[in-house]
Amino acid sequence: MRSILFFFKQDLETKLIFASLLFSSTVIFIYLISVWISNRRKKRERELNKIREQRQEMLSLILFDDNPESEAYQTIFGLPEFASHSTTRLGKRKKNRYRQIMLNEMLDIKKNLSQASLTPLYELYNKLELHKDSLRKMKSRKYREVVLGIREAASMNYKYHYKEIYDFTSHPNEIIRVEAQEAMVRIWQSSGLRFLSKSSYDVSDWEQMSLINLLQLSNNKKPKHISKWLSSDNYTIVIFALRLSALYNCYELLEKIYNCLYHTHDRVKTEAVNCLKTIYDENTELLLTDYFKQVSTTVQRSVMRALASMASSESTSFFFQQLRHNDVEIRFWAVKSLHSKGYEHQILTALENEPEQQSDVMLMLDQIKTEENLYKQ
């Protein structure tokens, strides 16, 4: 208090000198602190890089010489972050950090290994009890940690956290939910899709494509419950089930696919029509031509594409009727289909008393021919 009073009693020049000294001291102090922090950070980074290189070398030796008696194998289990009794004491944070470095190196090495070479890596993940670290992350309140834990367990094909991962497939957080659903398929292939039977959340198109891609990579047998999912109250699951039906050529589900044509959602109707391009019988074409007038323009466009893909002469008269449809895309598919069957002259004749419509059709024919020439080149 006295020093403050003393400062205010001084003249202006003295006050400026004191203020300059204080400012200079503060700047020097901040500079020294920043240098100390920077040096400490660099030292820590050098230490961590050294640890990474050591762990990477150990992993390489173990994976190329899968022998529990080897020196590398004994060394890795003797590391302070893995040894049950160690002369080197590590704090909890440092121990977790070192274990994470090992896990990160394992995940990185996995990218360069063939499927046949992954078993020793999965076994090491289990023996080092790194799955406990992944489980600890799954129990975190931070969603990023939860996602990381799920991803680690799935990448290491760890099947014993089934319940934890399965529970996350209905999590309110979409990021966690999607990660868990993909993990189920990565680990358990098509049987991992069982979460669809209880899901109340929408399964987005992007997520469906990701799951289908994972299924195709696994070369696994078709899921057991597609028939059940086609009757789901969740319309996005019905859409996914229709896509799975087409993917696995589920001809035995044709009647259920027909039923989906009369779903309340247009997106389901459209996907059912798309599915019928792959799965159909002798009645499908007639059914679709009758169905056409019962649905919205959006669904009608899909019907036109489906009928065009069937390349049958049974729907020729139907295509001629659609040459005068109000929707340009529908007219285009009618022209394209009739052109593919060699009816170009008949198209123009049918519209000879309608010059405006005939002009539009001629432009469409020019576009179709141009596309055909491009494909031939």
Side-chain angles (χ1 to χ4, degrees), residues 1-16 18:
M1 187 69 181
R2 287 180 181 179
S3 59
I4 296 172
L5 291 172
F6 173 77
F7 176 77
F8 281 105
K9 288 178 182 179
Q10 306 306 311
D11 56 38
L12 180 61
E13 186 178 353
T14 305
K15 288 178 180 178
L16 288 172
F18 271 111

Side-chain angles (χ1 to χ4, degrees), residues 29-232:
F29 177 75
I30 292 172
Y31 171 75
L32 292 173
I33 288 293
S34 63
V35 169
W36 178 76
I37 291 173
S38 177
N39 288 336
R40 187 177 179 185
R41 186 181 291 120
K42 288 177 182 177
K43 181 181 177 182
R44 180 182 170 186
E45 193 59 38
R46 285 195 298 270
E47 177 188 347
L48 292 178
N49 284 336
K50 186 178 179 181
I51 296 289
R52 288 189 192 99
E53 290 172 4
Q54 290 174 346
R55 303 316 187 246
Q56 192 176 61
E57 185 178 349
M58 288 179 189
L59 283 172
S60 298
L61 290 171
I62 287 173
L63 293 174
F64 284 108
D65 180 22
D66 185 23
N67 178 13
E69 303 301 323
S70 69
E71 184 179 346
Y73 222 101
Q74 299 303 318
T75 303
I76 205 167
F77 281 94
L79 291 171
E81 63 265 36
F82 297 116
S84 53
H85 300 92
S86 175
T87 55
T88 305
R89 298 189 65 181
L90 291 176
K92 185 177 180 181
R93 291 182 65 182
K94 184 172 274 192
K95 182 177 181 179
N96 288 340
R97 190 184 306 132
Y98 285 4
R99 289 173 68 90
Q100 189 62 46
I101 287 173
M102 177 64 81
L103 183 47
N104 289 344
E105 290 304 317
M106 291 172 74
L107 292 169
D108 196 48
I109 283 177
K110 183 192 173 185
K111 298 174 186 175
N112 301 315
L113 294 176
S114 64
Q115 194 66 33
S117 308
L118 291 175
T119 302
L121 192 68
Y122 296 156
E123 290 177 351
L124 187 62
Y125 172 81
N126 189 21
K127 289 177 181 177
L128 291 174
E129 296 188 335
L130 287 168
H131 57 88
K132 292 182 178 179
D133 298 58
S134 301
L135 181 59
R136 173 173 49 81
K137 294 186 187 83
M138 289 186 218
K139 293 180 179 179
S140 171
R141 293 183 179 181
K142 299 177 181 178
Y143 84 89
R144 289 185 181 86
E145 286 285 297
V146 175
V147 168
L148 185 58
I150 295 170
R151 191 171 297 166
E152 288 171 355
S155 296
M156 289 294 123
N157 201 40
Y158 193 75
K159 299 185 177 182
Y160 298 98
H161 288 331
Y162 171 81
K163 184 181 183 302
E164 288 81 3
I165 295 175
Y166 182 77
D167 288 343
F168 282 127
T169 60
S170 56
H171 197 277
N173 185 306
E174 184 181 5
I175 298 173
I176 293 175
R177 188 170 68 247
V178 170
E179 192 67 42
Q181 291 173 359
E182 290 190 3
M184 290 289 293
V185 177
R186 286 182 192 279
I187 300 174
W188 293 281
Q189 288 84 46
S190 60
S191 61
L193 287 172
R194 63 187 65 185
F195 67 82
L196 292 170
S197 298
K198 70 160 191 172
S199 180
S200 57
Y201 293 97
D202 287 356
V203 186
S204 68
D205 287 340
W206 173 82
E207 187 183 351
Q208 290 184 31
M209 292 301 103
S210 297
L211 293 172
I212 286 174
N213 184 51
L214 289 172
L215 289 170
Q216 289 176 317
L217 290 173
S218 70
N219 294 319
N220 202 257
K221 59 185 179 180
K222 68 182 177 183
K224 294 181 179 178
H225 304 294
I226 297 178
S227 177
K228 178 182 178 181
W229 300 331
L230 284 171
S231 304
S232 174

Side-chain angles (χ1 to χ4, degrees), residues 307-325:
L307 289 170
S309 70
M310 293 174 186
S312 168
S313 59
E314 289 186 20
S315 52
T316 300
S317 60
F318 168 79
F319 283 124
F320 271 107
Q321 292 170 23
Q322 306 318 315
L323 291 174
R324 296 172 179 81
H325 199 284

Side-chain angles (χ1 to χ4, degrees), residues 351 353-361:
L351 300 172
N353 296 323
E354 301 168 67
E356 189 175 340
Q357 293 277 27
Q358 191 181 62
S359 177
D360 288 344
V361 166

Side-chain angles (χ1 to χ4, degrees), residues 287-347:
L287 184 148
L288 287 178
T289 54
D290 290 340
Y291 176 71
F292 181 85
K293 54 182 173 287
Q294 304 174 36
V295 291
S296 66
T297 302
T298 302
V299 183
Q300 285 181 339
R301 291 169 187 158
S302 296
V303 172
M304 292 297 288
R305 289 192 289 270
L307 289 170
S309 70
M310 293 174 186
S312 168
S313 59
E314 289 186 20
S315 52
T316 300
S317 60
F318 168 79
F319 283 124
F320 271 107
Q321 292 170 23
Q322 306 318 315
L323 291 174
R324 296 172 179 81
H325 199 284
N326 294 329
D327 187 78
V328 176
E329 187 176 337
I330 290 175
R331 290 204 305 273
F332 177 81
W333 278 104
V335 172
K336 188 171 184 177
S337 182
L338 291 169
H339 169 73
S340 67
K341 297 178 175 67
Y343 289 114
E344 182 178 340
H345 177 71
Q346 289 88 331
I347 294 172

